[in-house]
Amino acid sequence: MDTPLNKIIEAARGLTPCDYLLQGGHVLNVFTRRFEDVSLALYGGMIVGVGERPANKVVNMEGCYLVPGFIDGHVHLESSMLTPDRYAAAVLPRGTTGVMAEPHEYANVVGIKVFDYLQRCARELPLNISICVPPCVPATNLEHSGAELTAQDIAACGNYANVVGLAEMMNYPGLLGCVPEVLAKLEALGENCHIDGHAPGLSGWDLQAYAAAGVSTDHECTTLAEAEEKLALGMYIMMREGSVAQDLEALAPLVNDINLERCLLVTDDREPEDLYFKGHMDYLCQKAIRLGVKPAHAFIMASWNVAKCFNLPKVGALAPGYMADIAVLQADDTSFKHGFTVKSVFKNGRLVAEDGHMVAEVPSIPLESMAHNTINIAPFKTEDLQIKVEEPGTYEVHVIGVKEGSLISDHLRMSLKAEEGELKSDLEQDILKVAVFERHKALGTRGLGFVHGLGIKGGAISSTVAHDSHNLVVVGDNDRDMSLCVEETKRIGGGLVVVSGGKVVASVALPICGLVADRTLEESAKSIQILHREAHKLGAKLARPFMSLAFMTLPVIPHLKLSDVGLVDVDKFAFTRLVAGRIG
């Protein structure tokens, strides 16, 4: 805080005029959990008092609802496909003043070098960016990534000012098995550091061991029973509502007056389309309210509870001594049953956004050249996509089953008839070929498999957004179009591609780490909208086929995934053969 303490005290006592007096609004008190009709006095970027004070400027807030600026409790900024400065300009007008960022997407491509860049973003942008250091880079030893973070790297990150803890511990089998390298990472930031969890379906004594190791949150709950068990062990439940994983409807009944303080709202991954057309944390709050969560509770879950969970000082509440990070909302009444709009946003006591637009400058912070030219795929031929079998007949194969609104994939066993000595896509059964190419160091590794549930016919789609190692994943019903997807991805320097009938019909270049482009939210959202339109013309069944594609490669979420090394049975945390056997 740059303002002298004596000046803060004098402004609080009314001896010095405050900068702003926000007068006539309904102010959320996170401690009493109710709205109160009081004025807020702002001075030196802080809230110095509640009630009338002398002020240099009085702002009429009559009919408005003032809540703490929203804080996203767990988000991968890269999922927005925006640079951090573009991201800040996109979410601040929505009322978001802080994020708990988990940069393992960047880190899987360029490693520890990205943390210097994020420190600069945190210093210069009008958005609180707190960092949780990813311990799982790569996520597992079942794939190749572009970089690795060791326990020593993680310890070095502890010197950064905005690092607040360890990010999601996805390798829970390694933790439970007391693998030395995993335990070293848990301890790298010190004995009392915050540790985020990532343990879908973990239960019983294994879950208790996970919590006993110091993991205090989880954002992978998909059922009420799972959330209740984890909450009863003292864990914070992060209720996720992202672009693919949408768990809020299942988990909202968990929230009550007693356990409210253990519940957070998070986005995890949010695509440009959803950010632009639906919103950010403002959307999550409104959906929670529609699902029966009390309005005050929803706003607390999106601010104060996050601050408490991560021990963030002086944010998350509208009270003396807290930073003046304020979202000013307009709504019909205190029920918020008809939703709300974000009228204006104050950050550190300064008006930064109004009526959905930034009024404060957001500096451009370019990422260094290290983040460009990251697509390095070994030479290959279209024939390399063939899945050969030695004998004619029908084979039982392991198939990845994808479904709407979930990151969890089914482990299916389906039959395929060999044609001309190879197994191909079967459109009648909606079985498509999927391939994952290593794209960081031209190692030449690639995994081949099959997926059910995408519905594509007459083409292929591909992406270098492929969690968490971000190799290149491509799905299609024929090898020629799949091969063209790969070649086009190389040409544009990474991104998303749709090919139909031997022609590229849509693409979105993501030249920064193969994940991000330096575009505005509106430009990104509309380009992704076109991409989805072309994918749906091919018959894609899912609303967000590229996000589903991205999580098809993540071997820490059940049940069956594909890496660049091969097909992974996540429940066994081991590779499995694609062909289970010949059945006729």
Side-chain angles (χ1 to χ4, degrees):
M1 183 176 66
D2 296 330
T3 306
L5 182 58
N6 66 305
K7 294 296 184 181
I8 294 291
I9 295 171
E10 290 172 2
R13 297 184 66 205
L15 303 177
T16 296
C18 57
D19 298 325
Y20 289 97
L21 186 69
L22 308 185
Q23 192 178 67
H26 311 292
V27 178
L28 176 61
N29 186 324
V30 301
F31 308 112
T32 64
R33 301 180 180 178
R34 61 174 181 260
F35 284 93
E36 300 171 352
D37 294 340
V38 295
S39 297
L40 286 182
L42 316 185
Y43 183 84
M46 296 179 60
I47 297 170
V48 296
V50 177
E52 299 300 310
R53 298 285 196 289
N56 292 324
K57 185 173 184 179
V58 176
V59 183
N60 182 8
M61 293 289 172
E62 187 174 350
C64 295
Y65 296 83
L66 281 63
V67 302
F70 304 133
I71 308 171
D72 193 339
H74 177 74
V75 60
H76 305 285
L77 300 180
E78 306 94 311
S79 68
S80 69
M81 302 179 192
L82 306 173
T83 56
D85 49 346
R86 301 283 198 178
Y87 182 87
V91 300
L92 276 161
R94 295 284 192 171
T96 298
T97 56
V99 293
M100 311 308 298
E102 213 279 55
H104 71 208
E105 323 301 354
Y106 281 136
N108 267 285
V109 180
V110 298
I112 196 171
K113 294 178 287 187
V114 75
F115 287 93
D116 287 330
Y117 171 70
L118 293 175
Q119 289 299 303
R120 184 183 170 198
C121 292
R123 288 194 303 269
E124 299 183 22
L125 295 176
L127 178 73
N128 291 338
I129 301 177
S130 300
I131 302 294
C132 291
V133 183
C136 300
V137 177
T140 71
N141 60 357
L142 304 173
E143 57 196 326
H144 291 111
S145 69
E148 179 183 0
L149 291 186
T150 65
Q152 291 75 23
D153 292 329
I154 292 171
C157 290
N159 296 320
Y160 290 115
N162 65 333
V163 165
V164 296
L166 205 62
E168 50 190 313
M169 175 45 70
M170 295 182 286
N171 188 2
Y172 58 85
L175 182 156
L176 297 174
C178 296
V179 175
E181 307 92 83
V182 175
L183 300 189
K185 290 181 177 182
L186 283 174
E187 297 169 339
L189 292 177
E191 184 178 353
N192 296 315
C193 91
H194 174 94
I195 304 174
D196 270 340
H198 178 291
L202 198 64
S203 182
W205 287 5
D206 283 350
L207 175 61
Q208 293 178 34
Y210 192 63
V215 178
S216 60
T217 73
D218 189 88
H219 63 275
E220 291 292 338
C221 295
T222 58
T223 68
L224 190 58
E226 182 180 359
E228 288 173 337
E229 182 183 5
K230 290 175 178 175
L231 185 143
L233 296 177
M235 299 180 77
Y236 284 90
I237 304 304
M238 295 176 164
M239 299 184 181
R240 173 176 56 190
E241 189 71 12
S243 287
V244 173
Q246 299 170 5
D247 306 314
L248 188 52
E249 185 169 357
L251 302 182
L254 179 72
V255 183
N256 58 43
D257 291 331
I258 297 172
N259 64 29
L260 168 65
E261 64 181 15
R262 311 300 291 184
C263 300
L264 282 61
L265 293 177
V266 307
T267 64
D268 195 6
D269 291 287
R270 200 139 179 86
E271 276 194 327
E273 264 189 297
D274 286 333
L275 273 178
Y276 183 71
F277 291 107
K278 294 181 179 179
H280 187 228
M281 297 301 291
D282 55 329
Y283 173 81
L284 270 64
C285 287
Q286 295 188 73
K287 183 165 184 176
I289 293 167
R290 290 197 302 271
L291 292 169
V293 176
K294 295 177 182 179
H297 289 185
F299 298 130
I300 289 170
M301 290 164 63
S303 57
W304 175 239
N305 286 2
V306 182
K308 284 196 302 178
C309 175
F310 289 93
N311 295 313
L312 303 179
K314 300 184 181 301
V315 295
L318 304 183
Y322 287 83
M323 299 306 297
D325 296 349
I326 306 167
V328 181
L329 313 180
Q330 286 186 318
D332 291 345
D333 53 48
T334 54
S335 72
F336 291 86
K337 64 181 179 181
H338 298 300
F340 63 82
T341 57
V342 180
K343 182 178 184 294
S344 58
V345 181
F346 288 81
K347 180 74 187 71
N348 293 347
R350 183 169 65 108
L351 182 67
V352 295
E354 197 164 24
D355 297 326
H357 301 283
M358 291 296 301
V359 296
E361 181 181 356
V362 178
S364 175
I365 306 178
L367 193 55
E368 296 176 8
S369 59
M370 65 178 180
H372 296 269
N373 302 315
T374 63
I375 308 301
N376 299 301
I377 299 172
F380 78 99
K381 303 183 295 294
T382 300
E383 293 74 20
D384 294 334
L385 291 168
Q386 294 178 351
I387 300 174
K388 296 284 190 178
V389 290
E390 293 182 356
E391 301 179 32
T394 301
Y395 289 80
E396 183 179 58
V397 296
H398 298 279
V399 177
I400 301 168
V402 297
K403 49 196 173 185
E404 192 74 72
S406 178
L407 306 184
I408 295 175
S409 59
D410 293 327
H411 186 162
L412 306 175
R413 285 176 175 246
M414 303 180 73
S415 60
L416 279 177
K417 187 175 182 180
E419 299 178 23
E420 300 175 345
E422 63 177 298
L423 298 176
K424 301 180 180 181
S425 299
D426 184 337
L427 298 185
E428 290 187 4
Q429 296 189 80
D430 188 16
I431 299 176
L432 300 173
K433 187 181 292 183
V434 55
V436 177
F437 288 77
E438 190 277 330
R439 64 93 164 177
H440 300 285
K441 301 173 183 177
L443 298 177
T445 54
R446 60 185 171 273
L448 298 174
F450 292 101
V451 60
H452 169 77
L454 281 178
I456 291 172
K457 298 178 180 179
I461 64 174
S462 65
S463 173
T464 52
V465 179
H467 300 285
D468 277 333
S469 290
H470 298 292
N471 289 303
L472 188 152
V473 56
V474 55
V475 171
D477 70 345
N478 69 90
D479 294 349
R480 183 187 65 166
D481 285 346
M482 292 175 69
S483 180
L484 181 55
C485 269
V486 177
E487 293 298 338
E488 178 66 7
T489 301
K490 291 167 62 177
R491 188 189 70 81
I492 64 176
L496 317 174
V497 177
V498 181
V499 168
S500 177
K503 295 181 179 180
V504 176
V505 295
S507 67
V508 174
L510 301 174
I512 301 174
C513 295
L515 305 171
V516 166
D518 187 13
R519 291 190 295 260
T520 67
L521 175 60
E522 181 178 7
E523 290 167 341
S524 293
K526 291 183 177 179
S527 63
I528 295 294
Q529 194 175 44
I530 293 171
L531 197 79
H532 282 148
R533 187 182 305 140
E534 293 300 327
H536 290 140
K537 285 181 182 178
L538 292 180
K541 296 178 180 179
L542 305 180
R544 298 285 188 270
F546 286 92
M547 282 293 277
S548 295
L549 201 64
F551 284 98
M552 206 180 299
T553 61
L554 182 53
V556 293
I557 293 184
H559 295 281
L560 190 65
K561 304 292 183 181
L562 182 67
S563 81
D564 68 299
V565 183
L567 198 61
V568 179
D569 184 330
V570 181
D571 300 322
K572 296 179 180 178
F573 215 60
F575 292 110
T576 186
R577 296 176 63 183
L578 172 60
V579 178
R582 186 169 176 268
I583 56 177

